[in-house]
Amino acid sequence: MKKYVMALDQGTTSSRCILFDKSGHMRSVVQREFTQIYPKPGWVEHDPLEIWSSQLSVAVEAMGKIGAAIEDIAAIGITNQRETTVCFSKKTGKPVYNAICWQCRRTADIIEQLKEDGFDSIIRERTGLVPDAYFSGTKIKWILDNVEGAREMAESGELLFGTVDTWLIWNLTKGKVFVTDYTNASRTMLFDIHKREWDEDILNRLGIPRSMLPQVKPSSCVYGYTDESVIGGVIPIAGAAGDQQAALFGQCCFEAGEAKNTYGTGCFLLMNTGDKAVASQNGLLTTIAASTEGEIRYALEGSVFVAGAAIQWLRDELRMIKNAPQSQEYAQDVEDTNGVYVVPAFTGLGAPYWNPYARGTIVGLTRGARKEHFIRATLESLAYQTQDVLEAMEKDSGITLKNLRVDGGASANDFLMQFQADIMNKEVLRPECIETTALGAAYLAGIATGFWKDKEDIRKNWFLEKTFLPFMTQEMRQEKLKGWKRAVRCAIAYAK
Ligand code: G3P
């Protein structure tokens, strides 16, 4: 009898493995942070081999921790930081360059050129995305243009491209399977989300050979099996989805109008729009949502580039806190931010502003500003950014959300969740399991292999842990939001 589904959650700053049982409870968790490489201001890279080795090691350790055998694992579900780009040799499996992280801004000028040439409307219409350096397309072009020998390899069919899901599946199957899923493909800026195929015009415009691209499959299906020599046995790999789409699925937002917000490295608010791809008029993205085989679902997404990363910045660079939970203690030591606003636009601004040149900005400093105010303002910035995308989402969808489901690491912060409810003037619902990204990947793999029957079967596993009700007066809310908008204008004014 199979006891668990294994979720491999390959995030921006850590690789994690969680074993879930049938009731959706976490039975074993192992997590490992890996190296962030910043070669130049605004550039971010990862070592693909470290991504793979950290992911494999946490998988083995998670099993060892509870004495789970290969035979206990029904399936593997993969979820990953999206857009991050790996180019590797078909023959040797070796990457030709570091993974260019989704946060990396190095291709902003390529995007500008596309816009000048009037190509942006084609991109918007077909891919559902706002043309930006965030997505994989221009990162692949950069590698082909700048890494010696890469273009020749690509043209002779020897170079492959993958988002991190593809890279992990390739390695887990020892190079036998070269695939991605709809959700990850829809973040490359190369995929027509309506026809559900790679777009020849965009590929030609960016000079990317079709032969580099993986086969695209549903998020819930058997892609292949682990090679025995890799993990000590054969396990079906049966689910894959970008982390934000996986979280939407894990939160059981299956119906049009249901939405969630995940506080990870960034912060991503997604709303299921059913089988309709809703085009945004307010700076949001249209993207494919994870679904079971045979159905297609779309979502509207507001992508905020820096959220939990701002708390890590307080910890690692500024050394104001020793660990993330301490940020809550400091924030609660003061009544407000004393007029301080922090706009953590470290890698430009995403939705709804889309400005790659904006930079982190602190405003409102006075002689009385203390570390506590500074920490509180950083935490509050996560909630303000969420409010910005929520506003855009309500306009685009015509739906007024009654409440918002939350998940991800920083959703454990009660101070932040209360402020989020106050600033949105909406209820915030926190489920028992906030590792919803991994849970979503497990559900996708478990449904494909019969571990769970269907969506109704897993809906029973969603339990509310806490509701945060809004208490702030309308007047106070408006005043704070006005200050935030002014601070954002300063961050943008810094842009070139
Ligand atoms: O689009 C980027 C996103 O997938 C990264 O997610 O959880 O690492 O913030 P996370």
Side-chain angles (χ1 to χ4, degrees), residues 75-90:
I76 294 178
I78 292 176
T79 182
N80 55 289
Q81 51 165 325
R82 306 165 303 166
E83 301 95 14
T84 297
T85 298
V86 187
C87 288
F88 57 100
S89 157
K90 189 177 185 174

Side-chain angles (χ1 to χ4, degrees), residues 131-145:
D132 194 82
Y134 172 27
F135 308 107
S136 319
T138 56
K139 299 184 198 292
I140 306 175
K141 176 173 168 50
W142 188 93
I143 290 177
L144 296 181
D145 291 346

Side-chain angles (χ1 to χ4, degrees), residues 230-353:
V230 174
I231 199 166
V234 178
I235 308 173
I237 304 163
D243 53 10
Q244 302 312 320
Q245 285 94 335
L248 189 69
F249 198 82
Q251 283 271 28
C252 301
C253 295
F254 303 136
E255 304 302 327
E258 292 181 329
K260 67 86 200 177
N261 193 32
T262 303
Y263 301 80
T265 303
C267 198
F268 300 87
L269 179 56
L270 269 75
M271 182 195 275
N272 188 326
T273 59
D275 56 8
K276 284 195 189 56
V278 175
S280 174
Q281 309 300 324
N282 294 285
L284 301 181
L285 308 174
T286 310
T287 201
I288 301 184
S291 52
T292 48
E293 209 172 349
E295 59 173 22
I296 185 79
R297 290 286 176 271
Y298 292 93
L300 267 174
E301 168 173 330
S303 328
V304 170
F305 294 154
V306 174
I311 303 173
Q312 282 179 334
W313 171 71
L314 288 176
R315 185 194 66 187
D316 301 339
E317 274 75 24
L318 301 191
R319 295 185 213 144
M320 284 192 172
I321 51 173
K322 290 205 176 69
N323 50 50
Q326 234 182 27
S327 63
Q328 171 164 323
E329 291 163 29
Y330 280 118
Q332 282 170 328
D333 274 351
V334 284
E335 260 176 30
D336 55 29
T337 68
N338 201 10
V340 176
Y341 286 90
V342 174
V343 184
F346 304 142
T347 53
L349 283 170
Y353 306 102

Side-chain angles (χ1 to χ4, degrees), residues 68-119:
I70 293 286
E71 299 70 49
D72 295 330
I73 313 291
I76 294 178
I78 292 176
T79 182
N80 55 289
Q81 51 165 325
R82 306 165 303 166
E83 301 95 14
T84 297
T85 298
V86 187
C87 288
F88 57 100
S89 157
K90 189 177 185 174
K91 269 195 208 140
T92 65
K94 286 213 176 85
V96 295
Y97 190 75
N98 272 341
I100 303 185
C101 180
W102 59 276
Q103 296 167 314
C104 190
R105 306 279 98 202
R106 83 183 62 189
T107 57
D109 56 338
I110 307 180
I111 293 292
E112 249 162 52
Q113 191 59 52
L114 289 174
K115 286 185 187 162
E116 265 169 43
D117 298 348
F119 200 71

